[in-house]
Amino acid sequence: MSTIRNIKNVLISVYYKDNLEPVLAQLKMLNANIYTTGGTQAFIEQQGIPTKRIEDLTGYPSILGGRVKTLHPNVFGGILARQHLKDDIDTLNNYNIPFFDLVIVDLYPFQETVNNKGSEDEIIEKIDIGGISLIRAAAKNFKDVLIVSSRHQYHALLDILTKHQGKTEEATRKHFSKEAFKLSSEYDRAIHAYFSGDIVATHESAAYRALPSHQLRYGENPHQKGTFYGQLQDIFTKLSGKDISYNNLLDIDAAVNLIAEFTEPTIAILKHNNACGLACNEDLLNAWCDALAGDPVSAFGGVIICNRKVTLEVANEMNKLFFEILLAPEFEEEAKNLLAQKQSRILLQLHATRLPAVTFRSLLNGVIEQDRDTASETVNDMNCVTNVRPTATQLNDLVFANKIVKQSKSNTIVLAKNNQLIASGVGMTSRVDALKHAINKAKEFSFSLQDAVMASDAFFPFPDCVEIANKEGIKAVVQPGGSVKDNLSIDYCNSNQMAMVFTGIRHFKH
């Protein structure tokens, strides 16, 4: 039989205190007794809310530098007591132990300490003992106790405290219990992985799957299930539109990584994770027009990202195109209202944030990890290897094109001119085919390739690409170099008054 419990006595001991204030305010309104420890106590009392010290309940102070604070029968008895059993009730009454109806406890940041390459002593100290014990005890006794084991559950808890006046149903408590055991399982798995030297498992299993999960409509295709693990609110705020899908997230990720390459006013349009239009221009409206001109056909149904405030003037032009998503750091109110009129269109306000230093991909029966590709070449990294040196304008375009090629699927060739993406060939099995595809796309949309530049994500093993480019009027090339036959391409450029620079950095992306 399902039981309703009123929240009267609360135990709070948390490492992360952000966004706890509204919960505390509501608990105060409900006249709940709050038992707490050390730093949490100081934080709560700063809010003007009285607390009861765990030390007074146990009769013992925090000892061993905080290693032992809550491991005491007077604490665990109040969590594990079964309120329907007379013997349990009598025991608590005999020892003046309160029944705890709500336990708010999180865990020391073990995984973050590992990720930040803390010392062994620092990592060991972040193995939570009291917290994990409190969480498991409260989760076990879900028939009487609500366990909140993560700050990401505060919003749901606040809903219970406000809409239901602190009354909890067994089904709700059981759901929170399930989440607590999931967290506990992943936490222990991360610790085991660390002691086993399995850094991949440490990162992938705990750092991601232990995060809040969001069920997606489906995976890459409708017959596949999809889930996102993480905190999207740290990356953007959703302003309007339908639910974000698995494929949307892939495009958003590609867009965020691409726009991070540019500091000048820039607009990019992406389709299937690759840029089909991109332009930099101090006049944002011109940047939009140039980006769209790059491939107005592929832009249909695409994802747009901008690194400046979207004005009403720009929004009016964007609104003429059907697109799925628009990301920008700011929107003029009128621009936002206009663009949000199409209810399925997703508007996202992009936050300034640092992306993780490592990336992961699951494959076969495991996971591979690598450092994020943070290399971004400047003019100073362009090493001229030909007799003809690129002009200042060409150098600027070579840097521009190289940024796009870095964030495009291999094999890829990018053609650019005057800070505008003219065309690209991406995801090709042959670099020659990538170039031919880019040339055909440029001609399809009436671009002149005279004085355009070419960027390649990897070296040219033969001179065929520079030869094809030269015949189309392209006179400046950027590539990593490194082929044993680099001299063949260099010799062709020298014989045809072409400029070519090497960066020494390959940008494969698969």
Side-chain angles (χ1 to χ4, degrees):
M1 180 178 176
S2 180
T3 54
I4 302 292
R5 294 288 183 230
N6 290 316
I7 295 175
K8 299 175 183 176
N9 295 311
V10 184
L11 170 60
I12 307 178
S13 182
V14 292
Y15 184 90
Y16 296 104
K17 300 168 182 66
D18 41 312
N19 300 320
L20 184 59
E21 295 95 331
V23 171
L24 296 172
Q26 196 60 34
L27 288 171
K28 181 180 180 182
M29 290 184 62
L30 294 171
N31 295 315
N33 298 310
I34 298 177
Y35 293 79
T36 187
T37 60
T40 306
Q41 177 190 348
F43 175 81
I44 295 173
E45 291 181 350
Q46 285 174 4
Q47 316 301 314
I49 299 172
T51 65
K52 297 178 182 291
R53 301 194 313 163
I54 287 292
E55 294 178 1
D56 294 335
L57 178 61
T58 64
Y60 285 91
S62 172
I63 61 173
L64 306 181
R67 279 190 164 195
V68 181
K69 290 180 285 195
T70 56
L71 296 169
H72 193 279
N74 285 5
V75 176
F76 282 85
I79 296 173
L80 287 165
R82 293 155 291 188
Q83 296 188 29
H84 66 284
L85 293 184
K86 183 177 183 301
D87 286 349
D88 285 12
I89 295 171
D90 290 343
T91 299
L92 263 61
N93 288 337
N94 288 340
Y95 292 101
N96 294 316
I97 300 173
F99 282 102
F100 286 113
D101 312 292
L102 170 62
V103 174
I104 305 176
V105 174
D106 61 11
L107 299 172
Y108 289 154
F110 173 82
Q111 187 59 55
E112 289 88 338
T113 308
V114 172
N115 290 348
N116 292 331
K117 313 220 182 283
S119 67
E120 182 176 83
D121 286 346
E122 290 171 330
I123 291 170
I124 297 304
E125 283 307 308
K126 289 301 185 289
I127 297 177
D128 209 311
I129 304 299
I132 199 76
S133 301
L134 291 167
I135 288 172
R136 289 178 63 86
K140 175 179 179 177
N141 201 25
F142 68 86
K143 291 189 176 181
D144 294 305
V145 182
L146 175 65
I147 173 63
V148 175
S149 54
S150 167
R151 67 188 187 276
H152 304 298
Q153 296 173 324
Y154 289 167
H155 181 76
L157 172 59
L158 191 60
D159 192 58
I160 292 169
L161 297 177
T162 53
K163 293 183 180 178
H164 303 283
Q165 292 76 51
K167 292 181 173 63
T168 65
E169 296 182 348
E170 186 173 313
T172 300
R173 297 192 298 271
K174 190 171 185 179
H175 170 76
F176 277 79
S177 172
K178 178 195 71 173
E179 294 299 312
F181 280 122
K182 176 186 174 185
L183 178 68
S184 170
S185 170
E186 296 292 350
Y187 193 77
D188 286 340
R189 190 180 302 174
I191 295 169
H192 174 264
Y194 171 74
F195 278 95
S196 301
D198 188 354
I199 301 303
V200 170
T202 304
H203 282 305
E204 176 68 10
S205 180
Y208 290 95
R209 295 195 65 206
L211 289 171
S213 62
H214 176 71
Q215 195 72 32
L216 304 173
R217 294 201 305 271
Y218 50 79
E220 202 160 6
N221 299 292
H223 63 279
Q224 296 169 273
K225 291 182 180 179
T227 306
F228 176 79
Y229 297 94
Q231 301 156 44
L232 290 174
Q233 68 272 18
D234 293 344
I235 304 296
F236 55 74
T237 297
K238 185 181 175 192
L239 302 178
S240 65
K242 62 185 178 182
D243 289 341
I244 297 172
S245 71
Y246 180 99
N247 290 328
N248 288 156
L249 287 174
L250 292 177
D251 282 325
I252 290 168
D253 178 69
V256 169
N257 280 279
L258 175 60
I259 205 70
E261 300 288 339
F262 299 91
T263 56
E264 55 270 70
T266 304
I267 294 180
I269 308 170
L270 293 89
K271 199 72 170 288
H272 294 290
N273 312 152
N274 294 295
C276 60
L278 191 150
C280 302
N281 198 302
E282 289 299 323
D283 185 320
L284 203 61
L285 181 59
N286 287 337
W288 165 250
C289 293
D290 287 347
L292 181 60
D295 188 344
V297 175
S298 296
F300 183 86
V303 172
I304 304 168
I305 190 164
C306 174
N307 62 0
R308 293 295 191 274
K309 179 190 287 187
V310 175
T311 63
L312 179 60
E313 179 186 39
V314 175
N316 274 318
E317 292 303 311
M318 288 180 170
N319 200 43
K320 297 175 182 177
L321 175 73
F322 168 74
F323 61 88
E324 291 264 355
I325 303 170
L326 170 59
L327 300 97
E330 290 183 86
F331 294 83
E332 286 185 356
E333 190 66 23
E334 289 179 315
K336 181 181 72 175
N337 292 339
L338 171 68
L339 294 168
Q341 287 177 3
K342 296 184 179 178
Q343 296 182 356
S344 63
R345 178 184 285 162
I346 299 169
L347 299 183
L348 304 175
Q349 184 170 344
L350 193 60
H351 304 320
T353 186
R354 285 180 57 189
L355 296 171
V358 292
T359 63
F360 304 94
R361 181 179 292 185
S362 61
L363 51 76
L364 299 177
N365 62 346
V367 176
I368 53 175
E369 170 192 356
Q370 66 171 348
D371 295 337
R372 183 176 296 278
D373 185 358
T374 57
S376 188
E377 293 76 54
T378 67
V379 168
N380 295 330
D381 300 305
M382 303 288 159
N383 177 34
C384 184
V385 294
T386 52
N387 297 332
V388 175
R389 304 187 66 83
T391 65
T393 299
Q394 287 174 329
L395 270 176
N396 183 65
D397 280 339
L398 290 170
V399 171
F400 171 86
N402 197 57
K403 291 177 179 180
I404 301 173
V405 92
K406 170 188 170 183
Q407 298 295 344
S408 302
K409 298 290 185 184
S410 298
N411 289 312
T412 182
I413 292 289
V414 165
L415 306 180
K417 183 164 63 173
N418 298 328
N419 282 334
Q420 181 185 18
L421 172 61
I422 300 299
S424 62
V426 298
M428 298 289 188
T429 54
S430 159
R431 200 165 305 282
V432 171
D433 286 344
L435 174 56
K436 289 179 177 178
H437 178 80
I439 291 169
N440 289 336
K441 291 288 284 188
K443 291 179 177 179
E444 180 182 350
F445 297 113
S446 303
F447 283 107
S448 168
L449 292 175
Q450 195 67 39
D451 298 323
V453 304
M454 174 174 72
S456 173
D457 59 336
F459 62 63
F460 299 125
F462 303 102
D464 42 11
C465 281
V466 291
E467 182 177 352
I468 294 169
N470 177 59
K471 290 177 179 178
E472 297 295 338
I474 297 167
K475 290 295 183 180
V477 179
V478 58
Q479 57 141 315
S483 169
V484 295
K485 296 182 179 180
D486 276 342
N487 62 297
L488 296 180
S489 294
I490 294 171
D491 289 345
Y492 181 88
C493 288
N494 284 335
S495 298
N496 291 274
Q497 293 73 53
M498 293 179 70
M500 184 162 63
V501 298
F502 286 179
T503 64
I505 302 292
R506 188 183 74 184
H507 288 298
F508 270 169
K509 187 178 183 184
H510 297 105

